[in-house]
Amino acid sequence: MNIFGAALTITVTFMQIYVFWRSSSLPIVKRHIPSWLFIAAGVLLWIIFFTGRSYGHRGTDIFAKTLELCGMTWMAVVFLLFSLVFSADLLTGFGVIMPRANTFLRTAALAAGLILSAAGVYQGMRQPVVRQYEVTIPGLSLQHDGKTIVALTDLHIDSEFRQPWLNKVVSRVLSLEPDLIVLAGDIFEGHFGPDGEIQNEFSRLKAPLGVWGVLGNHEFYGGLHKKVSVLEPSGISFLRNQWTEVAPGLILAGTDDLSVAGSLDRKKKFLHKTLAGRPEGTTVLLSHTPDGIETACGKGVDLMLSGHTHGGQIWPFGYLVKIRFPFMAGLYKIENMNLIVSRGAGTWGARMRLWHPNEIVQIVLHSGKTDKNH
């Protein structure tokens, strides 16, 4: 288990212990659930989470797939329950200031957590919505005015998000009739590589200016970045710290995920290498992580497309994400550069979302020289 896995396990274990400890004294729990059964349920759920993270995360059989799904779902449920129960305790001084209100609020928090968990599962199972952005780039050539880009980020294709789900996503993308299709990283979960069915689905993606992709952090787990090239026969070209001119005056650049670069200096080197020597024109940069923004802006990038944040995925986790990535989701204007951060088409960990639905991003380019806004 790596450092991240160990830290995650310790954190979830603490949150679960806290939730069960604070819930065990509630009258509704005491009346209806025997102590031994309550403890046994807690131990069983922790085992499901732990084995789902260890065995299930690496296995490919049906048992491993089910175990991972259950374990990751329970992790998300624990996070929601902990957030609400802990908030109730804070409001009442952990029962010291308002003991009667504390009991009521903890009971309400527990019920709300379970209801919100069910809502999160429902929202996580739904197909992505289409989020459209109108982006004006003053230097854009008139011949590209009105052209559309469809961006897919964070598909996280794994044991659950496989061929049937991808088939519907691809069909939705094609229905938008984009001029350019881009995959902005975390196509795969990391421990699942592309198989024949997945390759066939990706081969359906067609656009006049091509289908292009970059690698996200999950592509570097387990050496998967060495395997994604098998998607190239499907018609996807990967930009590994390089640029290409997809049409006269329209440059598409792509960098490997900046989180693997490590230090700030190395991130700058990644971007300098990616953008060096490109011709005059409008530059669209694909960077899975919304990082190195100042460098990209200083290098004259007109539009930067990112993902990685999932828009927080499960409330209130977004408040923590925003500390690290202040540009968390949506369209931002940074000096002369437009930045779009997608919430992603898939999910990480649990197949759950709360208030932050999956999305496919559609971008319409405008030069500002003629009025083509609708």
Side-chain angles (χ1 to χ4, degrees):
M1 184 180 294
N2 57 26
I3 295 175
F4 173 77
L8 183 65
T9 300
I10 293 170
T11 302
V12 173
T13 300
F14 167 77
M15 290 193 297
Q16 180 175 329
I17 290 173
Y18 187 89
V19 168
F20 272 72
W21 168 54
R22 297 303 285 164
S23 301
S24 63
S25 61
L26 295 176
I28 189 171
V29 174
K30 284 183 174 181
R31 283 198 301 266
H32 299 287
I33 306 177
S35 297
W36 68 267
L37 182 60
F38 193 68
I39 294 171
V43 172
L44 178 61
L45 288 167
W46 185 87
I47 290 172
I48 289 172
F49 160 72
F50 182 78
T51 53
R53 276 288 303 165
S54 53
Y55 168 72
H57 190 63
R58 293 172 176 80
T60 56
D61 57 275
I62 187 64
F63 177 71
K65 293 176 182 180
T66 304
L67 192 61
E68 181 182 23
L69 176 62
C70 292
M72 293 298 96
T73 300
W74 175 240
M75 177 187 72
V77 172
V78 164
F79 175 76
L80 274 171
L81 291 173
F82 172 81
S83 299
L84 294 169
V85 171
F86 185 69
S87 295
D89 282 339
L90 282 178
L91 285 172
T92 59
F94 293 84
V96 175
I97 301 173
M98 297 180 288
R100 291 184 179 178
N102 181 257
T103 299
F104 171 77
L105 286 176
R106 269 190 291 141
T107 303
L110 195 64
L114 295 174
I115 293 170
L116 289 176
S117 295
V121 170
Y122 171 74
Q123 194 169 59
M125 299 282 282
R126 298 178 67 185
Q127 281 290 307
V129 300
V130 176
R131 184 77 57 186
Q132 187 182 87
Y133 297 101
E134 307 275 338
V135 176
T136 298
I137 301 173
L140 183 71
S141 171
L142 280 176
Q143 65 180 317
H144 302 312
D145 200 318
K147 279 189 166 52
T148 61
I149 302 172
V150 169
L152 288 173
T153 77
D154 301 280
L155 287 162
H156 286 278
I157 298 170
D158 62 2
S159 58
E160 298 306 319
F161 282 150
R162 299 298 280 179
Q163 187 269 335
W165 179 83
L166 182 60
N167 176 273
K168 294 179 181 177
V169 172
V170 169
S171 296
R172 189 68 191 276
V173 169
L174 294 175
S175 72
L176 299 174
E177 300 182 347
D179 296 291
L180 174 66
I181 298 173
V182 296
L183 307 175
D186 279 7
I187 302 168
F188 297 98
E189 183 56 23
H191 53 298
F192 285 93
D195 56 25
E197 288 185 336
I198 297 301
Q199 286 177 292
N200 289 338
E201 290 301 333
F202 278 119
S203 67
R204 294 172 56 212
L205 290 173
K206 305 291 181 185
L209 300 182
V211 183
W212 303 84
V214 293
L215 305 183
N217 54 302
H218 279 257
E219 270 78 56
F220 286 87
Y221 300 156
L224 189 59
H225 63 289
K226 300 174 183 177
K227 304 173 186 176
V228 292
S229 59
V230 300
L231 284 179
E232 291 184 346
S234 301
I236 302 173
S237 300
F238 285 90
L239 296 169
R240 304 287 309 273
N241 302 321
Q242 62 193 115
W243 58 264
T244 184
E245 194 169 22
V246 294
L250 185 59
I251 298 97
L252 182 67
T255 178
D256 285 353
D257 181 58
L258 293 175
S259 66
V260 305
S263 68
L264 180 61
D265 285 342
R266 288 202 66 203
K267 290 176 182 179
K268 289 180 179 179
K269 287 179 181 178
F270 266 44
L271 289 172
H272 283 303
K273 179 182 177 182
T274 300
L275 298 167
R278 69 190 193 279
E280 292 281 330
T282 296
T283 299
V284 178
L285 172 66
L286 305 181
S287 173
H288 174 67
T289 303
D291 216 340
I293 294 168
E294 290 183 3
T295 302
C297 188
K299 294 289 287 183
V301 171
D302 298 286
L303 172 61
M304 180 173 173
L305 303 178
S306 298
H308 186 65
T309 68
H310 291 227
Q313 186 165 322
I314 299 174
W315 175 89
F317 191 67
Y319 295 116
L320 298 176
V321 175
K322 199 169 180 64
I323 295 172
R324 173 63 181 86
F325 299 106
F327 302 109
M328 193 172 69
L331 171 63
Y332 305 91
K333 187 74 174 180
I334 300 142
E335 296 182 13
N336 294 323
M337 185 179 80
N338 298 280
L339 168 66
I340 293 177
V341 183
S342 171
R343 291 194 299 254
T347 59
W348 174 82
R351 195 169 177 177
M352 290 174 63
R353 279 187 176 269
L354 192 59
W355 319 140
H356 309 292
N358 303 350
E359 68 180 19
I360 296 168
V361 170
Q362 182 185 37
I363 304 136
V364 182
L365 301 178
H366 298 290
S367 67
K369 298 170 186 176
T370 57
D371 186 12
K372 292 194 176 184
N373 291 297
H374 300 290

